[in-house]
């Protein structure tokens, strides 16, 4: 088994802040997303990026990973230190998940499974940690705690889905081991269909599939998306504009869940303006779709050519500066 340097995968230092980790992930995910990049190896790279983000964005997983130290190099043969499992066994035990692919990206690596196999998934893997509920109790520990804690006959787990899967509602095959009444772990496979109107946090009830014949509840966790931020049934995104497009108006292509759409930019559109694409978001329980809100970001050239500089000088002479306090 080879050691994977997750910091190297995201191109960040080991002391990177959570914001820096998220920024690096979004940048790389946009570049290698299988729906955008059709080059050979892009899908595998996308899976590596998501695995790195799964670990480094989770404080518990990152702390556990960092205990290995900074002396390992990517590609070196790796064996977990003695006592690794005992030191990080977490709360309880006995639940095991098969990490199925999401959006065609495949499961996590053997390295990840060796270190975090019982800790749950927040990234491109299949199921998260499973927890006893004590009857119809709360959603404690949905952030990726590993293990199974029996407090009654009902249990719940976390199911990570991509935004595209949430929209298409394509059935998902989920395999996991559930403790039976005699304490033995029984392997079960479920075909899970995402209900109409589901959003992040929606719970799916599988009656009779929990420990001892109780109910199993699956809580959906929507994975980070390289373009959209999910806000209920609405989607937020950013649309970069050239200065002349904002001044003169334009028609620009923007992504949607149904493919590209054309967004009309009115003359004089200001930086930060929020433009709406009606009915292009996620459907609610009645099938009515939310909207896409595109925030305008006017982008100036970081390294303008001499001709561009000259044109901007002419604009400065003919134009008016904005009022300032």
């Amino acid at each position: 088994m080879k050691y994977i340097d997750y910091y190297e995968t995201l191109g960040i230092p080991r002391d990177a802040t959570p914001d820096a980790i998220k920024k690096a992930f979004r940048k790389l995910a946009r570049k290698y997303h299988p729906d955008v990049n059709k080059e050979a190896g892009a899908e595998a790279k996308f899976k590596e990026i998501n695995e790195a983000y799964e670990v480094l964005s989770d404080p518990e997983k990152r702390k556990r990973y960092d205990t290995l130290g900074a002396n390992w190099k990517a590609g070196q043969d790796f064996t977990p230190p003695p006592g690794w499992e005992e030191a990080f066994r977490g709360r309880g035990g006995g639940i095991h998940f098969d990490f199925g692919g999401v959006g065609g990206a495949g499961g996590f690596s053997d390295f990840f499974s060796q270190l975090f196999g019982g800790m749950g998934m927040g990234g491109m893997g299949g199921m998260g940690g499973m927890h006893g509920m004590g009857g119809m109790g709360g959603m404690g520990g949905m952030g990726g705690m590993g293990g199974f804690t029996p407090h009654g006959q009902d249990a719940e787990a976390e199911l990570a889905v991509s935004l595209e899967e949430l929209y298409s509602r394509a059935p998902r095959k989920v395999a996991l081991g559930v403790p039976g009444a005699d304490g033995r772990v029984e392997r079960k496979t479920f075909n899970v269909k995402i209900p109409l109107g589901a959003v992040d946090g929606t719970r799916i009830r599988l009656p009779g599939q929990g420990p001892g014949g109780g109910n199993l509840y699956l809580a959906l966790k929507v994975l980070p998306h390289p373009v959209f931020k999910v806000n209920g049934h609405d989607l937020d995104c950013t649309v970069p504009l050239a200065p002349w497009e904002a001044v003169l108006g334009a028609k620009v292509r923007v992504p949607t869940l149904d493919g590209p759409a054309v967004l009309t930019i009115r003359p004089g559109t200001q930086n930060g303006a929020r433009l709406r694409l009606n009915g292009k978001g996620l459907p609610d329980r009645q099938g009515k779709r939310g909207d896409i809100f595109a925030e305008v970001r006017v982008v100036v050239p970081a390294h303008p050519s001499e001709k561009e500089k000259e044109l901007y000088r002419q604009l400065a002479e003919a134009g008016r500066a904005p009022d300032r306090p």
Side-chain angles (χ1 to χ4, degrees):
M1 181 174 62
K2 301 298 183 181
Y3 175 82
I4 299 176
D5 190 334
Y6 292 130
Y7 292 98
E8 182 179 282
T9 299
L10 294 184
I12 55 176
R14 300 188 76 87
D15 60 353
T17 64
D19 285 343
I21 293 171
K22 181 181 292 186
K23 183 177 180 180
F25 164 74
R26 289 184 178 275
K27 180 179 179 181
L28 292 172
R30 285 176 182 268
K31 180 178 180 180
Y32 291 103
H33 195 284
D35 291 342
V36 176
N37 192 329
K38 303 300 183 181
E39 295 181 3
E43 186 173 312
K45 182 68 175 178
F46 185 66
K47 184 178 72 171
E48 295 171 3
I49 293 164
N50 275 276
E51 179 172 322
Y53 184 70
E54 162 67 24
V55 174
L56 299 184
S57 65
D58 185 311
E60 186 177 351
K61 291 190 183 73
R62 184 181 182 183
K63 181 179 179 180
R64 180 174 180 177
Y65 175 73
D66 285 345
T67 61
L68 298 174
N71 296 325
W72 290 94
K73 294 183 179 180
Q76 283 185 320
D77 289 336
F78 172 79
T79 302
W84 177 265
E85 286 299 323
E86 287 73 16
F88 294 98
R89 189 170 298 278
R91 305 173 185 174
I95 191 73
H96 304 279
F97 295 98
D98 288 342
F99 301 136
V102 174
F108 282 165
S109 67
D110 291 341
F111 176 77
F112 179 97
S113 299
Q114 184 71 38
L115 299 185
F116 308 105
M119 293 185 69
M121 309 291 288
M124 289 303 292
M127 297 289 299
M130 184 175 184
H131 309 277
M133 295 176 61
M136 291 298 292
M139 296 278 289
M142 287 305 298
M145 276 171 40
F148 169 80
T149 307
H151 293 300
Q153 294 301 305
D154 291 342
E156 69 180 50
E158 187 177 86
L159 176 59
V161 295
S162 68
L163 177 59
E164 288 78 7
E165 286 179 313
L166 189 67
Y167 174 59
S168 69
R169 301 169 56 218
R172 282 285 304 277
K173 180 172 289 188
V174 178
L176 65 158
V178 180
D182 58 359
R184 296 182 180 180
V185 175
E186 179 184 357
R187 179 185 175 87
K188 294 185 177 181
T189 301
F190 309 95
N191 287 315
V192 180
K193 184 175 182 180
I194 298 174
L196 181 66
V199 293
D200 189 75
T202 293
R203 298 164 72 219
I204 302 173
R205 176 174 173 264
L206 302 180
Q209 300 302 324
N215 297 320
L216 173 61
Y217 293 87
L218 304 180
L220 299 182
K221 180 178 180 181
V222 181
L223 301 171
H225 194 274
V227 175
F228 296 111
K229 180 179 179 181
V230 182
N231 184 14
H233 295 100
D234 296 329
L235 302 175
D236 297 330
C237 68
T238 301
V239 175
L241 293 182
W244 53 88
E245 291 177 316
V247 173
L248 303 176
K251 291 186 180 296
V252 298
R253 286 163 59 91
V254 294
T256 76
L257 296 174
D258 306 306
V262 175
L263 182 64
T264 299
I265 307 298
R266 295 182 179 179
T269 295
Q270 299 296 307
N271 185 59
R274 281 170 55 87
L275 308 179
R276 184 198 304 259
L277 282 169
N278 293 316
K280 293 295 184 179
L282 294 170
D284 61 17
R285 292 182 180 181
Q286 287 71 45
K288 182 180 179 181
R289 295 179 61 177
D291 304 321
I292 290 179
F293 291 91
E295 182 174 334
V296 169
R297 181 165 58 90
V298 178
V299 180
V300 299
H303 305 286
S305 65
E306 288 302 319
K307 183 175 182 180
E308 288 175 320
K309 290 180 181 179
E310 179 58 31
L311 291 173
Y312 275 108
R313 293 189 189 101
Q314 296 178 24
L315 179 61
E317 294 175 358
R320 295 175 297 171
D323 294 333
R324 300 184 179 93

